[in-house]
Amino acid sequence: MQRRTNVLIAAGAALGLTMTLASCGATGSGGVTLKLVAADYGASADDSSEKYWAEVVEKFEAKNPDINVEVTVLSWSDVDAEVAKMVKAGEAPDMAQIGAYSDYAAQDKLYPADELLSIPTQGDFLSSLTSAGEVNRIQYGMPFASSTRLMFYNKDLFKAAGISKPPASWDELAADAALLKEDGVKYPFALPLGKEEAQAETMLWLLAGGDGYTDQVGSYTLDSETNIKTFNWLKDNLVDKGLVGPVAPAELNRQAAFDAFSKGEVGMLNGHPTLIAQAKKKGIDFGMVPLPGRGGAAKSTMGVADWMMAFKQNGHRDQIGAFLDFVYSKENVLAFSDRYNILPVTNSALDAMTADGKYKQLEPFMEALPSSQLPPVGNTSWAQVSADIKKQIGKAVAPGGNPAAVLTDIQNKARAAEDAE
């Protein structure tokens, strides 16, 4: 049978950025059809993850004619919530590639990785990511992409404003932002606390301030005195002084901030490796350094992993395993990392990238990885807590906002979710 790939744009009223890659081949041929919901890593339709998955699916189906794969690609603003709706409605996809897995693992909805993957595939994951994918020492979350965060700054805008080097402390950062504003820069420091990735921007600042989301035993500490001081500083020294640009942090999403940086409108912002290619494409001359801490260098930065998981509902364990073994081949992991400038999640791909001078631009991120801290993804309450941070944290720095009250409210809900685990 002749096989073909169709790409459809779904027109659901609730989702503005929904792309569906239809299965290659007829679903009525007696084979199994797998459904995957995946996040979009592209900055535009031109480099949407839809294209990556189309290539992977076409190659996989050519080798596995009895397995069809349908991939729905959603923006990061929507993908976690959409998967949650599907699961709640009893319509879980076979696989989801999203931001959190542990709540589904706690509900016994996921296959353990060792019931899906071959031993070589599972053993190829970076050990730190394998452990982060575990609940009660069983791996359910399979890392799909990893990165760290650095502060990007526009060298041309710095030079025009008379700034000779990137800031090494918060005081210097605020002073530099003020100079950039005086020179007419639209976003002296872009602070994206919109729903797309507010939980990541928040964690970066909490770590730089000397604390984080949890204590040493993994219990939430969002409203610690140190964290409240961090958000008071952000509000008083950046937001209230008009140093974050014309869009309120609660309304500014990460990709919009990246787009503005690539247009030369942003002096500083926190970014991950995908911004490198986007900014270079637009001819931006930029530098990258760790986000400074309150009084100097921060003790650590944030590490991030996005997760692949497989739901048990449809019972396609063998077919899912075959597809994921293919997805995690060195060739495919390298292709994804290369396309989006994202750090690989497997040893084989990392070794290949480290040995290839083509990826020298990623070295600062690789260097930051060993000391980086991941969000508490192993907490089964994390998906709920993360969603609450996305909804509320922007209010902490809004006009008339009260950082202590907002952080305490998030903490109370986090504690309740934690107690319910």
Side-chain angles (χ1 to χ4, degrees), residues 226-259:
T226 301
N227 287 341
I228 291 171
K229 286 181 178 178
T230 292
F231 265 81
N232 280 333
W233 187 90
L234 280 173
K235 186 176 188 303
D236 295 343
N237 294 278
L238 292 185
V239 181
D240 287 354
K241 292 183 178 180
L243 301 180
V244 296
V247 180
E251 304 300 324
L252 183 63
N253 279 330
R254 176 195 64 187
Q255 190 56 56
F258 282 13
D259 292 345

Side-chain angles (χ1 to χ4, degrees), residues 5 100 260 309 396:
T5 301
M309 62 214 68

Side-chain angles (χ1 to χ4, degrees), residues 48-208:
S48 169
S49 296
E50 170 191 304
K51 295 184 177 181
Y52 170 78
W53 285 113
E55 295 170 6
V56 171
V57 168
E58 183 176 11
K59 293 176 183 177
F60 173 77
E61 289 192 348
K63 296 181 178 180
N64 300 271
D66 293 329
I67 305 175
N68 302 312
V69 183
E70 293 181 355
V71 183
T72 300
V73 177
L74 303 177
S75 74
W76 272 111
S77 298
D78 300 308
V79 67
D80 289 282
E82 277 302 300
V83 170
K85 289 178 184 177
M86 295 170 71
V87 174
K88 186 175 181 180
E91 300 174 351
D94 295 283
M95 296 163 285
Q97 185 270 299
I98 53 178
Y101 67 88
S102 57
D103 54 335
Y104 299 123
Q107 298 169 42
D108 194 30
K109 295 183 181 295
L110 302 180
Y111 286 115
D114 61 8
E115 292 184 13
L116 299 167
L117 304 176
S118 66
I119 292 175
T121 297
Q122 190 174 7
D124 198 23
F125 290 131
L126 297 172
S127 60
S128 59
L129 298 180
T130 294
S131 59
E134 295 176 351
V135 173
N136 296 325
R137 298 186 179 182
I138 298 174
Q139 184 183 6
Y140 295 94
M142 292 160 278
F144 183 76
S146 67
S147 70
T148 53
R149 297 291 193 266
L150 294 174
M151 191 187 80
F152 287 65
Y153 63 97
N154 185 310
K155 292 183 177 180
D156 290 334
L157 295 181
F158 266 48
K159 183 177 180 180
I163 305 170
S164 60
K165 60 182 180 179
S169 68
W170 284 3
D171 287 344
E172 290 183 10
L173 187 151
D176 290 347
L179 290 172
L180 290 164
K181 181 182 179 181
E182 289 175 10
D183 202 47
V185 175
K186 187 174 182 179
Y187 295 88
F189 193 104
L191 185 66
L193 295 178
K195 68 175 184 176
E196 182 180 2
E197 210 186 27
Q199 85 289 355
E201 185 73 19
T202 297
M203 185 172 175
L204 277 165
W205 285 99
L206 297 185
L207 290 172

Side-chain angles (χ1 to χ4, degrees), residues 40-44 192 196 252-262 272 274-275 278:
D40 193 359
Y41 289 79
S44 66
E196 182 180 2
L252 183 63
N253 279 330
R254 176 195 64 187
Q255 190 56 56
F258 282 13
D259 292 345
F261 186 82
S262 299
H272 54 61
T274 60
L275 182 55
Q278 185 178 344

